[in-house]
Amino acid sequence: MVEERRPGSKAARLRGTCREVFSQFPAGSALLALLAAAGTFSPWIGRLLVDVRDLADHVEPWRVFTGHLVHGNPTHLALNLLLFAPLAVFRERRAGFLRLALEYLTLAVFVSAGVRLLHENWTTYCGLSGVVYGLLAITLLEPGRRTDGMPHRMAFGALGSAVLAIIALKTALEAAGGGWILHREALESTLGVTYLAGAHAAGMAGGVAMALASRISVRTASRQPLAAATARESARR
């Protein structure tokens, strides 16, 4: 028997392959990384995106979300992307593009609010490090799932708890001391920015808040089928 080839089957397979490839490609992570590079290497894009305290006679609310993409110099950009890129790719592949976008925007608001509330003398803010702290907290606190559908306490277990505790301690010490634990002047000179400890603390607080909200949502969703099954069993009796 000769297999009949349907017209257009190759095109359909090609479209299916393209959809599969692009569904796995971390488009959101790549876009944010490209914008960060553009904001750092292009002066006019950087001026458009950076978060500025004093704007003479107008309001530019997008800077609350875009200022994090600008960096002091290529070294600052490279160090932040070294941490941000794998976390963003992991979050995007695990939760999807829209979830990553929501997490970035929410953490950007937390960090920008922290800078404004905790640093009275700030003039400009830039850098992804506050968002990185938040994404790390979300990743480490994210609930896993057992085979029965109920949530684990944490997807990364005791190791995730230990890592998060160490980072939280470091953040608290820096916020209390007003700067990096390491030599502040040397790091600021290398990275081309002034360190604002409140950005890291606010980013972590935002990440913890989002992770806790996610855990509550997972627990609620996990209990609904059990409650429905119990109700059906009671009705049968």
Side-chain angles (χ1 to χ4, degrees):
M1 178 182 292
V2 179
E3 181 182 356
E4 182 180 355
R5 293 183 177 272
R6 292 179 298 171
S9 60
K10 288 186 178 179
R13 287 197 296 272
L14 180 60
R15 286 195 298 271
T17 301
C18 289
R19 280 196 298 268
E20 183 177 352
V21 169
F22 281 104
S23 67
Q24 296 297 319
F25 181 74
S29 306
L31 176 61
L32 289 171
L34 286 174
L35 286 173
T40 302
F41 289 105
S42 171
W44 73 268
I45 293 179
R47 287 193 296 271
L48 179 66
L49 300 183
V50 71
D51 194 3
V52 182
R53 178 175 183 170
D54 295 319
L55 293 171
D57 56 355
H58 57 288
V59 178
E60 298 178 349
W62 69 83
R63 295 180 183 274
V64 169
F65 304 101
T66 62
H68 314 273
L69 299 171
V70 184
H71 290 78
N73 58 32
T75 302
H76 188 205
L77 172 68
L79 288 175
N80 274 342
L81 285 185
L82 185 65
L83 298 171
F84 173 79
L87 282 170
V89 169
F90 177 81
R91 293 299 305 151
E92 185 171 5
R93 287 184 171 173
R94 190 175 183 88
F97 170 81
L98 292 179
R99 179 69 183 184
L100 173 65
L102 175 63
E103 290 173 354
Y104 172 81
L105 294 174
T106 303
L107 291 172
V109 170
F110 267 88
V111 174
S112 297
V115 169
R116 286 160 169 77
L117 292 173
L118 301 176
H119 299 281
E120 296 180 356
N121 298 322
W122 77 284
T123 55
T124 60
Y125 179 77
C126 64
L128 277 166
S129 56
V131 174
V132 166
Y133 273 65
L135 287 177
L136 188 59
I138 291 172
T139 300
L140 293 176
L141 287 173
E142 184 181 39
R145 283 185 176 276
R146 301 196 302 252
T147 55
D148 59 4
M150 294 298 290
H152 283 297
R153 290 184 177 180
M154 287 177 61
F156 288 89
L159 177 61
S161 301
V163 172
L164 189 63
I166 292 171
I167 296 173
L169 177 61
K170 169 186 175 293
T171 305
L173 290 174
E174 289 177 343
W180 279 299
I181 295 176
L182 300 175
H183 198 277
R184 176 173 178 172
E185 289 76 12
L187 284 172
E188 289 183 346
S189 175
T190 300
L191 301 181
V193 293
T194 299
Y195 178 70
L196 300 179
H200 291 180
M204 175 160 283
V208 170
M210 293 191 72
L212 292 178
S214 177
R215 291 174 65 82
I216 292 171
S217 176
V218 168
R219 285 187 176 276
T220 302
S222 300
R223 287 170 179 167
Q224 286 176 351
L226 180 60
T230 303
R232 287 195 298 269
E233 186 66 23
S234 299
R236 288 187 191 133
R237 293 176 183 175

